[in-house]
Amino acid sequence: MDGIPAGYEMPPYMQYQFTTRDSIGNISTASSSCSSSPGTPAPSGHRCPVPGKAKKRVEKDTEEYKERRQRNNIAVRKSRDKAKKRNMETQYKVLELSAENERLQKRVEHLSRELATLRSLLSASGHC
């Protein structure tokens, strides 16, 4: 099996559209402007501004707003489907490991009984 449970199909996605204006910018400079020390997350609800990446307000009735919403909806759907797939794979792995664990426990019980039988035979023969 290739890691995907049987019967699971990935949903088709709409055509992804990426433009150069969607680029993120230089990530290495983003942490230098935060007031908190490096490695410490910003306080909840507060985000550190990224230099050169001011949040641009877009009116709700514009074409750009509709495009952004459409791209965001696609990204959200993709992220949720990916999380569902990971969850299904984890559940499948749990089932596999549970079955293997049960099989191994039965084997241990069988070998323990066999060992007890062999010990009793050895002690009965007087060779101990």
Side-chain angles (χ1 to χ4, degrees):
M1 181 155 281
D2 60 333
I4 300 174
Y8 180 77
E9 293 181 27
M10 291 298 294
Y13 286 104
M14 296 171 24
Q15 184 80 17
Y16 290 105
Q17 298 173 355
F18 296 103
T19 61
T20 55
R21 68 179 179 196
D22 295 333
S23 63
I24 294 178
N26 190 352
I27 295 174
S28 64
T29 61
S31 62
S32 63
S33 66
C34 289
S35 60
S36 60
S37 62
T40 306
S44 179
H46 297 91
R47 294 196 173 180
C48 297
V50 177
K53 187 73 175 176
K55 195 151 193 169
K56 180 179 159 187
R57 288 284 190 202
V58 180
E59 296 296 319
K60 289 188 175 188
D61 57 343
T62 64
E63 198 60 36
E64 183 181 1
Y65 176 81
K66 291 175 186 174
E67 288 176 15
R68 284 185 178 195
R69 292 302 317 143
Q70 185 178 18
R71 282 195 313 266
N72 181 259
N73 290 341
I74 292 169
V76 166
R77 189 178 320 123
K78 184 178 178 182
S79 174
R80 288 177 182 161
D81 287 342
K82 191 175 177 181
K84 284 179 188 175
K85 181 184 174 207
R86 266 194 322 266
N87 187 12
M88 288 182 69
E89 288 173 348
T90 301
Q91 288 177 358
Y92 181 76
K93 190 69 175 173
V94 165
L95 289 174
E96 280 184 334
L97 292 173
S98 295
E100 183 181 6
N101 189 34
E102 189 175 329
R103 183 185 61 79
L104 290 172
Q105 284 178 346
K106 287 179 181 179
R107 177 113 170 104
V108 166
E109 288 173 18
H110 173 75
L111 291 173
S112 295
R113 284 192 307 267
E114 187 177 336
L115 179 62
T117 303
L118 291 173
R119 280 186 176 158
S120 67
L121 287 173
L122 187 61
S123 65
S125 66
H127 286 83
C128 275

